[in-house]
Amino acid sequence: MFYRASLQAAAALASLSLLAGCGLLPGGDSDVDQKLAVGTTSEPSTLDPAAAWDNSWELMRNVFQTLVSFPTGSTAPEPDAADNCRFTDMTSTAYRCELREGLKFSNGDKLDAEAVKYSIDRIRSIAVKGGPIGMLGSLDRVETKGDDIVIFHLTKPDATFPFVLATPAMSLVAPSAYSKDKIRTDGKVTGSGPYLLDAYKQGDRSELVKNPDYKGFAKRKNDAVTIRYFKNSSSLVPALKKGDIDATYRGLSAEEVVALEDNNDKESDLQIVESVGADIRFLVFNPDDPAAGNPAVRRAIAQLVDRDALVAKVYQGTAEPLYSMVPKGIAAHTTSFFDTFGNPSVPKAKKILTDAGITKPVPMTFWFTTDRYGSSTAPEFAELKRQLEASGLFRITLKSRPWKTFQEGFNKGEYPVFGRGWFPDFPDPDNFIAPFVGKESVTGRPYIKDEITKQLLPQSRKESNRGAVSQEFERAQEILVDDVRMLPLWQGKLYVAAGEDIGGGERALDPQTVMQMWELYRKASW
């Protein structure tokens, strides 16, 4: 039978299992095999944190440490490699961390203040385009005092800086194993996280084993985890049903989620845990392209896209329409695109184009990735093509690439229009605005908007009470609507599917929606 559980009703999993007579109790029995396998369609694009601003974080969170982190249930960063951290001034321009005692990397090197400074400085010295350097815009310099004190001096007040340090992009690496001026590419990891990367085979798997020297917040409930990488969910779900893997994360199609929830398959004993997601999907328009660079073309597309139909046909209730780059559940969320464009309208879109002197159907190419956001991505773009062409105003060609080459392409400005997803670095509206504007926009093209970068963001970052920044971010969303450089489409929910004997799924996703493998365990039998 299938069970459904939400984060708000996690305890129901255990009671449902008992009612079904499956005889399972929480882990802790030393006789139970605590070596687990987790399947995903989200393979890391890099193993080096200095290049990672994508779903590579899912692996990095488990094999590296950061100074502060987001344990499940936390709303603000908490110490990890650090013993304590705090701003030392009233202006939020100096952030001081004191390290835990006795930290060391997996190669035996000491994890001290100089290693922390080295790890952060190399992100800026390597400066990978589209990489995490874009998160360090407020950092001036890193100072060390002795072996265990690190002070981050900022160029301006930035109350979000601790949130940045909590992202896996700021993972701490051993200086002796990582060059200061180039990315590591040997397929190995030298970190200090909860697990060691025992083996890695690109396109196939990562083998994680407990790190015996780990000192941090994670309480590991298993002994080892194999992460298996699947090209699509058509192979992922059968592997789960056969018991080849114990759990899945990222990659389930809408149809598969619905089938699990509706108990369509009576022969398997599986469960599905749902959590509210802050992940979003949106279109990006290249300002250098003749068609996509025309504001009238972008506004016409915004006027035509039917999010309700898209979500209903492709995602079947596993997502909801999104009318802002800041999703529901995050402070300052608005419905600014709906407020501006209202319901889809062909006549209104046609008028936008004709007023701009465009009277013939506009040919455009839309790009998407084949292996990052799940197997529903191709049907999603087919539905967008159908909607736009049904208006008679556009002729759409669809093209796709695997994530690694897709990412290289948009960073080079090769695509007129492309689809992107965004999984939050941290749960704050800043993280749904700041990464997309400025010279180092994660869209691959500079997006210079001085009112946002020079006024609204600096003003909001002076406020340590993050619930009090709505006005600034509401205005920022108005600016994004005016430009339509990005068009939000939908906001997703997150699902962990697992065997009936697997516990911890309701705690496995942290506030950054990154999988914490240490929360999963195999339940003991009676």
Side-chain angles (χ1 to χ4, degrees), residues 87-95 152-158:
F87 279 108
T88 61
D89 60 350
M90 297 299 293
T91 59
S92 299
T93 57
Y95 192 67
F152 299 91
H153 296 278
L154 310 182
T155 59
K156 51 196 172 185
D158 187 358

Side-chain angles (χ1 to χ4, degrees), residues 281-285 297-311 314-315 320-323 337-338 340-350 352 364 366 380-391 393-394 396 417 484 486-490:
R281 297 294 186 278
F282 54 97
L283 294 178
V284 179
F285 297 93
V297 171
R298 302 197 298 265
R299 292 180 67 83
I301 292 174
Q303 185 64 72
L304 288 171
V305 169
D306 188 339
R307 295 168 177 81
D308 287 326
L310 178 68
V311 168
V314 180
Y315 290 100
E320 56 184 311
L322 181 64
Y323 296 95
F337 272 87
F338 184 84
T340 300
F341 294 100
N343 291 316
S345 171
V346 174
K348 289 181 179 179
K350 185 175 182 179
I352 292 171
M364 301 187 77
F366 282 30
E380 173 184 340
F381 274 77
E383 171 61 13
L384 289 171
K385 171 183 168 72
R386 185 199 68 76
Q387 291 182 13
L388 295 176
E389 291 189 337
S391 72
L393 303 175
F394 291 91
I396 305 299
V417 185
V484 198
M486 295 163 289
L487 182 64
L489 297 173
W490 56 268

Side-chain angles (χ1 to χ4, degrees), residues 4 16 26 41 44 46 57 71 84 105 118 130 136 162 174 187 210 213 216 233 239 273 282 314 324 430 449 506 524:
R4 176 181 176 180
L16 284 170
T41 60
T46 177
W57 287 8
N84 61 81
F105 292 106
Y118 184 91
L136 293 173
K210 265 187 178 179
D213 298 316
S233 60
V273 180
F282 54 97
V314 180
S324 165
D430 188 286
K449 216 63 190 174
E506 71 282 358

Side-chain angles (χ1 to χ4, degrees), residues 45 48 50 72 88 94 99 113 134 211 233 242 351 367 372 419 444 460 499 505:
S45 63
D48 190 329
T72 298
T88 61
L99 295 176
N211 179 0
S233 60
K242 289 190 299 182
K351 185 176 188 306
W367 286 81
R372 176 58 52 170
S460 71

Side-chain angles (χ1 to χ4, degrees), residues 351-407:
K351 185 176 188 306
I352 292 171
L353 293 174
T354 55
D355 286 352
I358 301 172
T359 57
K360 295 181 179 180
V362 181
M364 301 187 77
T365 301
F366 282 30
W367 286 81
F368 62 92
T369 181
T370 57
D371 59 353
R372 176 58 52 170
Y373 306 124
S375 57
S376 296
T377 305
E380 173 184 340
F381 274 77
E383 171 61 13
L384 289 171
K385 171 183 168 72
R386 185 199 68 76
Q387 291 182 13
L388 295 176
E389 291 189 337
S391 72
L393 303 175
F394 291 91
R395 295 198 308 271
I396 305 299
T397 300
L398 299 181
K399 292 187 178 182
S400 60
R401 285 177 174 172
W403 174 253
K404 190 169 184 177
T405 52
F406 176 79
Q407 186 180 35

Side-chain angles (χ1 to χ4, degrees), residues 315-520:
Y315 290 100
Q316 302 179 41
T318 62
E320 56 184 311
L322 181 64
Y323 296 95
S324 165
M325 290 300 289
V326 178
K328 185 184 297 184
I330 300 295
H333 165 72
T334 69
T335 56
S336 49
F337 272 87
F338 184 84
D339 298 341
T340 300
F341 294 100
N343 291 316
S345 171
V346 174
K348 289 181 179 179
K350 185 175 182 179
K351 185 176 188 306
I352 292 171
L353 293 174
T354 55
D355 286 352
I358 301 172
T359 57
K360 295 181 179 180
V362 181
M364 301 187 77
T365 301
F366 282 30
W367 286 81
F368 62 92
T369 181
T370 57
D371 59 353
R372 176 58 52 170
Y373 306 124
S375 57
S376 296
T377 305
E380 173 184 340
F381 274 77
E383 171 61 13
L384 289 171
K385 171 183 168 72
R386 185 199 68 76
Q387 291 182 13
L388 295 176
E389 291 189 337
S391 72
L393 303 175
F394 291 91
R395 295 198 308 271
I396 305 299
T397 300
L398 299 181
K399 292 187 178 182
S400 60
R401 285 177 174 172
W403 174 253
K404 190 169 184 177
T405 52
F406 176 79
Q407 186 180 35
E408 292 170 353
F410 71 69
N411 280 325
K412 293 177 181 177
E414 294 178 358
Y415 312 140
V417 185
F418 61 95
R420 275 225 54 184
W422 186 253
F423 302 93
D425 302 329
F426 47 85
D428 188 278
D430 188 286
N431 193 234
F432 293 91
I433 302 293
F436 305 108
V437 294
K439 294 181 181 179
E440 301 294 336
S441 167
V442 297
T443 63
R445 300 289 88 188
Y447 183 12
I448 307 303
K449 216 63 190 174
D450 287 349
E451 184 180 352
I452 295 178
T453 57
K454 294 183 179 181
Q455 298 179 37
L456 299 175
L457 290 177
Q459 184 175 338
S460 71
R461 288 171 176 174
K462 294 177 182 178
E463 180 57 67
S464 58
N465 177 10
R466 302 308 294 162
V469 295
S470 293
Q471 185 174 351
E472 292 86 350
F473 288 106
E474 288 170 4
R475 172 57 188 152
Q477 291 169 81
E478 291 176 359
I479 295 171
L480 297 184
V481 171
D482 290 341
D483 289 345
V484 198
R485 283 279 298 272
M486 295 163 289
L487 182 64
L489 297 173
W490 56 268
Q491 173 178 352
K493 301 175 184 178
L494 297 176
Y495 299 88
V496 175
E500 188 184 51
D501 63 332
I502 300 300
E506 71 282 358
R507 290 186 53 82
L509 303 182
D510 72 6
Q512 298 164 307
T513 70
V514 173
M515 176 71 98
Q516 300 178 136
M517 297 297 177
W518 58 83
E519 293 287 359
L520 299 176

Side-chain angles (χ1 to χ4, degrees), residues 45-237:
S45 63
T46 177
L47 300 186
D48 190 329
W53 201 353
D54 59 18
N55 288 348
S56 302
W57 287 8
E58 292 163 15
L59 176 61
M60 292 177 185
R61 173 59 76 211
N62 293 277
V63 296
F64 290 106
Q65 275 186 292
T66 45
L67 286 171
V68 290
S69 188
F70 278 104
T72 298
S74 62
T75 58
E78 298 183 12
D80 185 7
D83 181 67
N84 61 81
C85 291
R86 61 184 177 86
F87 279 108
T88 61
D89 60 350
M90 297 299 293
T91 59
S92 299
T93 57
Y95 192 67
R96 179 186 185 276
C97 291
E98 182 176 357
L99 295 176
R100 293 178 187 264
E101 292 184 5
L103 294 175
K104 63 180 180 179
F105 292 106
S106 55
N107 64 354
D109 288 358
K110 185 178 180 180
L111 199 173
D112 57 12
E114 283 299 327
V116 174
K117 174 177 168 59
Y118 184 91
S119 299
I120 304 302
D121 283 348
R122 75 183 290 267
I123 294 174
R124 299 205 293 175
S125 63
I126 296 175
V128 172
K129 185 174 179 60
I133 185 175
M135 304 173 69
L136 293 173
S138 64
L139 180 61
D140 178 27
R141 61 188 176 88
V142 184
E143 177 189 6
T144 63
K145 290 189 174 181
D147 287 344
D148 58 353
I149 302 296
V150 185
I151 303 173
F152 299 91
H153 296 278
L154 310 182
T155 59
K156 51 196 172 185
D158 187 358
T160 71
F161 188 74
F163 292 76
V164 171
L165 287 181
T167 67
M170 303 299 139
S171 293
L172 307 178
V173 300
S176 65
Y178 291 82
S179 168
K180 67 178 181 180
D181 54 13
K182 64 182 179 180
I183 295 299
R184 183 174 179 176
T185 59
D186 63 356
K188 297 181 181 180
V189 161
T190 309
S192 59
Y195 297 96
L196 305 176
L197 183 61
D198 191 51
Y200 173 72
K201 184 177 180 181
Q202 185 175 356
D204 183 31
R205 67 186 62 207
S206 294
E207 299 281 356
L208 311 184
V209 297
K210 265 187 178 179
N211 179 0
D213 298 316
Y214 170 69
K215 293 183 178 182
F217 74 90
K219 307 300 181 186
R220 294 164 294 185
K221 299 176 182 177
N222 57 62
D223 297 322
V225 178
T226 297
I227 306 174
R228 290 187 54 192
Y229 303 115
F230 292 79
K231 293 298 182 184
N232 53 61
S233 60
S234 63
S235 302
L236 183 66
V237 174

